Amino acid sequence: MPIGPITMLAIYIVCWWVVLFAILPLGMNQQAQEKPDDGAQWGAPRDPQLKKKFITTTWVSAIVWVFVMVLVFTGWLPLPTMVGNAV
């Protein structure tokens, strides 16, 4: 096994955050917003649909993670070994 379970988890967490920031702006339409009258920020959406976006982020990042793991385990994306490289 080229990498351990903690490294796999770390790669999944990184994939999750990258996918989250890619998915967050989806579905937001600035033209449909009215000027806020309750003191809210102009660029803040009224309904950000965060639960839906977190669920979407989870399954999309799982697909990305599986793809990265396939690349690692087939040797197309070799990771450097950290053991014994002290100079």
Side-chain angles (χ1 to χ4, degrees), residues 6 12 16 18 27 32 46 58 66 80 86:
I6 294 175
Y12 178 78
W16 194 89
V18 169
R46 290 210 185 270
T58 302
V66 166

Side-chain angles (χ1 to χ4, degrees), residues 28-36 41-48:
M28 297 293 109
N29 189 358
Q30 292 290 343
Q31 285 79 21
Q33 285 187 332
E34 301 88 26
K35 186 173 180 174
Q41 193 63 257
W42 174 257
R46 290 210 185 270
D47 183 22

Side-chain angles (χ1 to χ4, degrees), residues 62-76:
I63 293 171
V64 171
W65 179 78
V66 166
F67 179 70
V68 169
M69 289 299 106
V70 166
L71 290 178
V72 168
F73 280 96
T74 58
W76 282 75

Side-chain angles (χ1 to χ4, degrees), residues 3 27 32 43 58-59 66 71 74 77 80-81 87:
I3 58 176
T58 302
W59 68 264
V66 166
L71 290 178
T74 58
L77 183 67
T81 57
V87 178

